[in-house]
Amino acid sequence: MSRRSLFARALVVSLIALGTARPAMAGDFDEQGRFSFEPDAVLTLDFASFTPAVEPGDGAATLEEDATALAGGKVLVVALATEGYPVPLALPAAPGSYRARFWLKGDCTAGVAVDYADGSEGVVGEAFPTGRVTSDDWLEFETAPFGVDGGKNGVDARLFLSAYDRTKPVTVRLDAVEVVPDGQFAPTTNCTGLDAAKECGAGTLCVDGLCRDARGWFPPLPEESERAKLPAYWKRKLHDTFGPYELRRTTLPDALATLDQMATATDNVTYWSRFTEAIRRLRDAHTYARLTALSAVKSRRPLNACFFEGVGDLSQAAAPSELGLPDLLVSHTGLESTWGLAQGDRLVAVDGEHPITWARKLMTPSPWYWEADDPEQLANVLSLLRDLIARHATELTVVHCHAASGTCDATATTLRLDELPVVPASEAPKLVSCDNRPFFPVDGAPADHDFGDAVLTPAKVVHGPVLGVDSSEAIYGLIWNTLFGDGSKMPVDLALGAAVTEFGQARGVLLDHREGHGGTAQTANILIKFARKPYTPFIGYVRTRANDEGPASAAAAAALFTRYASAEDEFGSASARTDVPVALLTTWDVSASDYLPKILQGAPNVRLFGPGPSMGAFGTFMQYSLWGVMRWSVGIEDAITPDGTLLCTHGVDPDVRLAPTQSDLLSGKDTIAEAAIAWLRSEAHP
């Protein structure tokens, strides 16, 4: 083996500033550059041979001779696709606490996961660079300590490798894996709800009634001398770059105060939880913080039901509505793990409080919770509700209703989560998607309500004659979720273009965008061109200096619009079919899906139907990532209309504001879609 040196590049300085702790000693190199494993390691892999996992997913691995191999002469070459690749770890058959270290060439995320055949709780531990890099480009990674009950039957411990971007396959090289003892094994203990009694200790979070070891979910805790640098940097960064002007006044101070709490943290879970909370406290749908581990931590009792705001017209005797808050109804369910809920049931309370009131307390304790720009926008919180309930609630208050009789129970029922069966992760059902559509107005929609995202999964775009309408009326509909495209050639563009072509024979058009994930303005314009003549609705505006707090008046903002508006800001088409009525259904709509209703609203023969405003997240954003394990985004733009209105925080309010009723749900009617169809019939083009 050729002589190699071990050194820390300038890159390592930035890693430490971002929160990566200095390396703990592990396997090391002698003066000749020869690597040797840590003597106390309980497991070492030098890849002289390799037995792959029984279920390797869609990745593949081969052994290859490599002159730069650290241990032995071979390395594991892993081709990563969408599902990642598991490397089995044979750990001691006794309870223990360990830390894993390994060396990588190539760009991917990695870590350790442990599951058990009996369905008991496993662990997930993401790996981060230690700062050690060899002269021939091997980079060392390390996990936080993780516990393994090796005495159980069916222990599935594995090192996992995953591509940063699952849409872009990548090949990496792995060598010199070692697992070393670190700390004492601690059995999982119980906790209650939001852990108000502080039953869980440092490094854990109360989730699903268990104190879950969360150390591996977050980056390492920086050295004490470095700990205050990250919040100081990000306070400046947010002050200088966060774009929505109204939120700078209302939510930015709260976020900055939360960053101040980081410097006194003494464990990595508290430290990074406050960072992600600060980002989420900006309450901008373009400004989010996400941990890869959160999607890997499955709920023990998944709830396969969806909620939306409605009118509990048949259940007032059992539970009167709460002033200022909507009734919450079950819009639809999957086939299993429904907790006995059915379409039309009403969720009255969670842990004794209105579900929205309860959910809004989760900004600090739950890394899964976030809010949208417009304070009146409730659909976002309701889309999170089933997951938040499964992870953090102790009991539900429900009024059950019955489609056969068209009635609801006279009294509410209490459902305790700890009385529900635990579902092993290996048996967890695929949850039905929550898209605010209790029924579909066009044939061919997926039964599981999953319309894809056009990024990781192909988007489903369904169009055709509206169901229940005579063919002579020629009312056509479109159901879709994403506007992710380039405006001309990508799959969603082509599908929307095909729908618009079909609309050429329509006397009325129903656009069902009740779950709008956004995308690009160019793709939104495919539909806008059908319904609206050329129009410049707003301009995007990015802050120009650190002390820029926005135009001082509407007149000043309007002057900016006049100054900067250009042909690139124009939407619509001179050949728009303004003689054909268009009804747009909205509920959960963000970004370019904010643009679509904003631009269509006010056009001749267009009407918007829905229960409340869209999210009000106008503009673009910057994305950040810490080794692909923690990702966050910051909205950097606002939008200005011709009259000087700043749009961020102002979701698009529908022209016809109405919510589904229990009586309609139980009788198989879609309140919002039927109101839109009735209007289309009344306005149908001759």
Side-chain angles (χ1 to χ4, degrees), residues 152-209:
K152 287 189 173 184
N153 291 324
V155 179
D156 178 14
R158 59 207 181 272
L159 170 70
F160 62 81
L161 306 172
S162 300
Y164 284 130
D165 182 346
R166 287 189 287 167
T167 67
K168 298 177 181 178
V170 66
T171 298
V172 301
R173 304 172 90 81
L174 173 70
D175 198 15
V177 178
E178 63 180 0
V179 179
V180 300
D182 192 318
Q184 300 296 315
F185 176 77
T188 302
T189 58
N190 295 328
C191 57
T192 304
L194 301 181
D195 195 25
K198 304 298 180 186
E199 298 167 277
C200 299
T204 63
L205 293 176
C206 185
V207 181
D208 287 300

Side-chain angles (χ1 to χ4, degrees), residues 243-245 286 521 535-544 548 551 557-571 591 595 598-599 617-621 635-642 645-648:
Y245 286 110
H286 278 147
Y535 170 57
T536 302
F538 49 78
I539 61 167
Y541 190 73
V542 178
R543 299 175 67 248
T544 58
D548 174 14
L560 290 173
F561 176 91
T562 300
R563 178 178 179 182
Y564 291 112
S566 69
E568 293 182 358
D569 300 306
E570 186 177 271
F571 292 82
S591 193
Y595 285 27
K598 181 64 182 178
I599 299 170
F618 292 85
T620 191
F621 49 91
I636 62 169
E637 190 176 23
D638 210 319
I640 303 175
T641 65
T645 299
L646 298 172
L647 289 183
C648 280

Side-chain angles (χ1 to χ4, degrees), residues 328-515:
L328 303 189
L329 307 180
V330 176
S331 60
H332 57 280
T333 72
L335 299 178
E336 53 188 324
S337 296
T338 63
W339 297 8
L341 298 179
Q343 188 174 58
D345 284 354
R346 179 171 155 214
L347 178 62
V348 177
V350 178
D351 292 344
E353 297 182 288
H354 189 285
I356 292 174
T357 303
W358 173 82
R360 284 174 170 163
K361 295 162 59 176
L362 298 178
M363 184 65 81
T364 293
S366 178
W368 286 271
Y369 181 80
W370 59 280
E371 293 181 6
D373 302 59
D374 192 319
E376 289 190 50
Q377 216 285 335
L378 301 179
N380 175 65
V381 174
L382 298 187
S383 72
L384 303 172
L385 196 55
R386 66 172 176 182
D387 199 32
L388 298 174
I389 287 171
R391 297 185 185 279
H392 302 300
T394 58
E395 66 178 33
L396 307 183
T397 304
V398 178
V399 178
H400 290 295
C401 302
H402 315 282
S405 62
T407 62
C408 297
D409 290 349
T411 58
T413 300
T414 298
L415 174 68
R416 288 195 56 84
L417 271 66
D418 59 10
E419 295 175 352
L420 296 169
V422 172
V423 178
S426 61
E427 300 175 15
K430 181 183 185 298
L431 300 184
V432 66
S433 291
C434 296
D435 62 352
N436 305 296
R437 301 179 180 106
F439 309 102
F440 299 119
V442 176
D443 195 20
D448 63 359
H449 293 245
D450 186 354
F451 283 82
D453 61 8
V455 180
L456 296 178
T457 56
K460 296 180 178 68
V461 178
V462 181
H463 56 90
V466 168
L467 297 172
V469 175
D470 189 271
S471 60
S472 64
E473 297 182 79
I475 295 178
Y476 285 81
L478 167 68
I479 311 174
W480 87 111
N481 285 0
T482 179
L483 291 166
F484 184 78
D486 61 7
S488 60
K489 297 178 181 178
M490 292 181 70
V492 173
D493 303 310
L494 298 175
L496 295 183
V500 169
T501 297
E502 185 177 56
F503 296 163
Q505 58 187 314
R507 298 178 60 215
V509 171
L510 179 70
L511 303 178
D512 189 342
H513 201 46
R514 284 180 278 187
E515 184 185 2

Side-chain angles (χ1 to χ4, degrees), residues 1 19 23 37 59 180 192 206 231 235 237 280 284 312 445 510-511 516 612 624 652 658 666 679 681:
M1 181 183 294
F37 287 110
V180 300
T192 304
C206 185
K235 285 182 71 174
K237 187 80 168 177
R280 291 182 289 112
D284 169 42
L510 179 70
L511 303 178
Y624 304 86
V652 185
L658 77 167
L666 295 182
W679 176 76
R681 280 173 155 161

Side-chain angles (χ1 to χ4, degrees), residues 489-657:
K489 297 178 181 178
M490 292 181 70
V492 173
D493 303 310
L494 298 175
L496 295 183
V500 169
T501 297
E502 185 177 56
F503 296 163
Q505 58 187 314
R507 298 178 60 215
V509 171
L510 179 70
L511 303 178
D512 189 342
H513 201 46
R514 284 180 278 187
E515 184 185 2
H517 288 263
T520 66
Q522 300 97 310
T523 297
N525 203 28
I526 294 171
L527 298 172
I528 295 166
K529 285 179 178 179
F530 176 80
R532 177 142 209 169
K533 298 289 187 181
Y535 170 57
T536 302
F538 49 78
I539 61 167
Y541 190 73
V542 178
R543 299 175 67 248
T544 58
R545 59 191 185 280
N547 64 346
D548 174 14
E549 295 304 334
S553 64
L560 290 173
F561 176 91
T562 300
R563 178 178 179 182
Y564 291 112
S566 69
E568 293 182 358
D569 300 306
E570 186 177 271
F571 292 82
S573 169
S575 59
R577 289 290 307 277
T578 57
D579 56 330
V580 178
V582 175
L584 174 62
L585 313 186
T586 64
T587 305
W588 189 103
D589 298 281
V590 63
S591 193
S593 297
D594 276 308
Y595 285 27
L596 180 66
K598 181 64 182 178
I599 299 170
L600 284 180
Q601 192 170 48
N605 246 348
V606 172
R607 188 165 293 187
L608 276 53
F609 296 77
S614 63
M615 292 193 195
F618 292 85
T620 191
F621 49 91
M622 295 289 290
Q623 292 179 304
Y624 304 86
S625 172
L626 183 52
W627 292 99
V629 172
M630 191 172 81
R631 304 168 190 263
W632 63 103
S633 172
V634 177
I636 62 169
E637 190 176 23
D638 210 319
I640 303 175
T641 65
D643 66 359
T645 299
L646 298 172
L647 289 183
C648 280
T649 74
H650 297 290
V652 185
D653 217 10
D655 302 303
V656 180
R657 190 165 182 167

